[in-house]
mmCIF file of all heavy atoms in Angstrom:
data_model
loop_
_atom_site.group_PDB
_atom_site.id
_atom_site.type_symbol
_atom_site.label_atom_id
_atom_site.label_comp_id
_atom_site.label_asym_id
_atom_site.label_seq_id
_atom_site.Cartn_x
_atom_site.Cartn_y
_atom_site.Cartn_z
ATOM 1 N N VAL Y 134 -21.303 -19.268 19.541
ATOM 2 C CA VAL Y 134 -20.067 -18.757 20.151
ATOM 3 C C VAL Y 134 -20.071 -17.221 20.137
ATOM 4 O O VAL Y 134 -19.796 -16.588 21.165
ATOM 5 C CB VAL Y 134 -18.825 -19.322 19.417
ATOM 6 C CG1 VAL Y 134 -17.549 -18.624 19.875
ATOM 7 C CG2 VAL Y 134 -18.716 -20.827 19.623
ATOM 8 N N ALA Y 135 -20.369 -16.624 18.986
ATOM 9 C CA ALA Y 135 -20.353 -15.158 18.889
ATOM 10 C C ALA Y 135 -21.411 -14.557 19.814
ATOM 11 O O ALA Y 135 -21.151 -13.561 20.501
ATOM 12 C CB ALA Y 135 -20.621 -14.739 17.450
ATOM 13 N N ALA Y 136 -22.599 -15.146 19.868
ATOM 14 C CA ALA Y 136 -23.637 -14.623 20.740
ATOM 15 C C ALA Y 136 -23.238 -14.724 22.211
ATOM 16 O O ALA Y 136 -23.476 -13.791 22.997
ATOM 17 C CB ALA Y 136 -24.949 -15.378 20.516
ATOM 18 N N ALA Y 137 -22.573 -15.819 22.581
ATOM 19 C CA ALA Y 137 -22.132 -15.992 23.964
ATOM 20 C C ALA Y 137 -21.081 -14.944 24.324
ATOM 21 O O ALA Y 137 -21.122 -14.350 25.404
ATOM 22 C CB ALA Y 137 -21.594 -17.400 24.171
ATOM 23 N N VAL Y 138 -20.112 -14.717 23.419
ATOM 24 C CA VAL Y 138 -19.064 -13.735 23.693
ATOM 25 C C VAL Y 138 -19.666 -12.337 23.809
ATOM 26 O O VAL Y 138 -19.374 -11.609 24.762
ATOM 27 C CB VAL Y 138 -17.972 -13.772 22.596
ATOM 28 C CG1 VAL Y 138 -17.040 -12.589 22.708
ATOM 29 C CG2 VAL Y 138 -17.192 -15.078 22.678
ATOM 30 N N PHE Y 139 -20.546 -11.962 22.886
ATOM 31 C CA PHE Y 139 -21.117 -10.635 22.925
ATOM 32 C C PHE Y 139 -22.091 -10.482 24.093
ATOM 33 O O PHE Y 139 -22.162 -9.412 24.711
ATOM 34 C CB PHE Y 139 -21.780 -10.268 21.587
ATOM 35 C CG PHE Y 139 -20.828 -9.585 20.673
ATOM 36 C CD1 PHE Y 139 -19.892 -10.299 19.954
ATOM 37 C CD2 PHE Y 139 -20.837 -8.204 20.539
ATOM 38 C CE1 PHE Y 139 -18.989 -9.678 19.125
ATOM 39 C CE2 PHE Y 139 -19.938 -7.565 19.714
ATOM 40 C CZ PHE Y 139 -19.006 -8.292 19.002
ATOM 41 N N SER Y 140 -22.813 -11.515 24.457
ATOM 42 C CA SER Y 140 -23.695 -11.447 25.621
ATOM 43 C C SER Y 140 -22.883 -11.217 26.888
ATOM 44 O O SER Y 140 -23.255 -10.366 27.722
ATOM 45 C CB SER Y 140 -24.499 -12.740 25.727
ATOM 46 O OG SER Y 140 -25.310 -12.714 26.885
ATOM 47 N N ALA Y 141 -21.773 -11.927 27.024
ATOM 48 C CA ALA Y 141 -20.911 -11.739 28.189
ATOM 49 C C ALA Y 141 -20.348 -10.317 28.212
ATOM 50 O O ALA Y 141 -20.329 -9.665 29.253
ATOM 51 C CB ALA Y 141 -19.788 -12.772 28.184
ATOM 52 N N LEU Y 142 -19.891 -9.830 27.051
ATOM 53 C CA LEU Y 142 -19.343 -8.477 26.992
ATOM 54 C C LEU Y 142 -20.404 -7.437 27.382
ATOM 55 O O LEU Y 142 -20.131 -6.490 28.137
ATOM 56 C CB LEU Y 142 -18.842 -8.163 25.584
ATOM 57 C CG LEU Y 142 -17.494 -8.725 25.208
ATOM 58 C CD1 LEU Y 142 -17.218 -8.497 23.730
ATOM 59 C CD2 LEU Y 142 -16.382 -8.106 26.055
ATOM 60 N N ARG Y 143 -21.609 -7.583 26.857
ATOM 61 C CA ARG Y 143 -22.672 -6.607 27.130
ATOM 62 C C ARG Y 143 -23.067 -6.627 28.589
ATOM 63 O O ARG Y 143 -23.278 -5.577 29.210
ATOM 64 C CB ARG Y 143 -23.866 -6.887 26.205
ATOM 65 C CG ARG Y 143 -23.589 -6.542 24.769
ATOM 66 C CD ARG Y 143 -24.726 -6.950 23.841
ATOM 67 N NE ARG Y 143 -24.393 -6.665 22.464
ATOM 68 C CZ ARG Y 143 -24.523 -7.512 21.481
ATOM 69 N NH1 ARG Y 143 -25.029 -8.735 21.676
ATOM 70 N NH2 ARG Y 143 -24.187 -7.170 20.241
ATOM 71 N N THR Y 144 -23.137 -7.822 29.186
ATOM 72 C CA THR Y 144 -23.467 -7.930 30.599
ATOM 73 C C THR Y 144 -22.379 -7.258 31.435
ATOM 74 O O THR Y 144 -22.656 -6.508 32.371
ATOM 75 C CB THR Y 144 -23.601 -9.422 31.010
ATOM 76 O OG1 THR Y 144 -24.651 -9.998 30.245
ATOM 77 C CG2 THR Y 144 -23.898 -9.562 32.496
ATOM 78 N N TRP Y 145 -21.150 -7.517 31.074
ATOM 79 C CA TRP Y 145 -19.998 -6.936 31.762
ATOM 80 C C TRP Y 145 -20.031 -5.436 31.682
ATOM 81 O O TRP Y 145 -19.827 -4.743 32.677
ATOM 82 C CB TRP Y 145 -18.758 -7.515 31.093
ATOM 83 C CG TRP Y 145 -17.421 -7.159 31.679
ATOM 84 C CD1 TRP Y 145 -17.042 -7.216 32.973
ATOM 85 C CD2 TRP Y 145 -16.282 -6.746 30.930
ATOM 86 N NE1 TRP Y 145 -15.704 -6.862 33.092
ATOM 87 C CE2 TRP Y 145 -15.232 -6.575 31.857
ATOM 88 C CE3 TRP Y 145 -16.036 -6.528 29.583
ATOM 89 C CZ2 TRP Y 145 -13.958 -6.156 31.466
ATOM 90 C CZ3 TRP Y 145 -14.760 -6.141 29.201
ATOM 91 C CH2 TRP Y 145 -13.746 -5.948 30.128
ATOM 92 N N LEU Y 146 -20.300 -4.890 30.507
ATOM 93 C CA LEU Y 146 -20.304 -3.434 30.316
ATOM 94 C C LEU Y 146 -21.513 -2.775 30.986
ATOM 95 O O LEU Y 146 -21.424 -1.627 31.412
ATOM 96 C CB LEU Y 146 -20.296 -3.089 28.826
ATOM 97 C CG LEU Y 146 -18.961 -3.384 28.125
ATOM 98 C CD1 LEU Y 146 -19.126 -3.236 26.617
ATOM 99 C CD2 LEU Y 146 -17.868 -2.474 28.647
ATOM 100 N N ARG Y 147 -22.613 -3.482 31.104
ATOM 101 C CA ARG Y 147 -23.789 -2.918 31.783
ATOM 102 C C ARG Y 147 -23.566 -2.825 33.281
ATOM 103 O O ARG Y 147 -23.877 -1.829 33.905
ATOM 104 C CB ARG Y 147 -25.001 -3.802 31.534
ATOM 105 C CG ARG Y 147 -25.715 -3.510 30.273
ATOM 106 C CD ARG Y 147 -27.039 -4.286 30.231
ATOM 107 N NE ARG Y 147 -27.590 -4.201 28.914
ATOM 108 C CZ ARG Y 147 -27.663 -5.198 28.056
ATOM 109 N NH1 ARG Y 147 -27.241 -6.409 28.398
ATOM 110 N NH2 ARG Y 147 -28.191 -5.029 26.876
ATOM 111 N N GLY Y 148 -23.035 -3.910 33.873
ATOM 112 C CA GLY Y 148 -22.950 -4.003 35.313
ATOM 113 C C GLY Y 148 -21.680 -3.406 35.910
ATOM 114 O O GLY Y 148 -21.712 -2.785 36.953
ATOM 115 N N GLY Y 149 -20.582 -3.597 35.251
ATOM 116 C CA GLY Y 149 -19.333 -3.061 35.733
ATOM 117 C C GLY Y 149 -18.761 -3.769 36.946
ATOM 118 O O GLY Y 149 -17.604 -3.590 37.264
ATOM 119 N N GLY Y 150 -19.537 -4.630 37.605
ATOM 120 C CA GLY Y 150 -19.038 -5.268 38.811
ATOM 121 C C GLY Y 150 -18.644 -6.716 38.586
ATOM 122 O O GLY Y 150 -18.732 -7.515 39.504
ATOM 123 N N VAL Y 151 -18.252 -7.049 37.384
ATOM 124 C CA VAL Y 151 -17.850 -8.398 37.079
ATOM 125 C C VAL Y 151 -16.517 -8.395 36.352
ATOM 126 O O VAL Y 151 -16.112 -7.365 35.789
ATOM 127 C CB VAL Y 151 -18.907 -9.124 36.218
ATOM 128 C CG1 VAL Y 151 -20.182 -9.321 36.985
ATOM 129 C CG2 VAL Y 151 -19.185 -8.358 34.935
#
Side-chain angles (χ1 to χ4, degrees):
V134 170
V138 169
F139 269 79
S140 178
L142 282 172
R143 290 174 182 132
T144 300
W145 184 48
L146 289 170
R147 275 189 190 110
V151 293

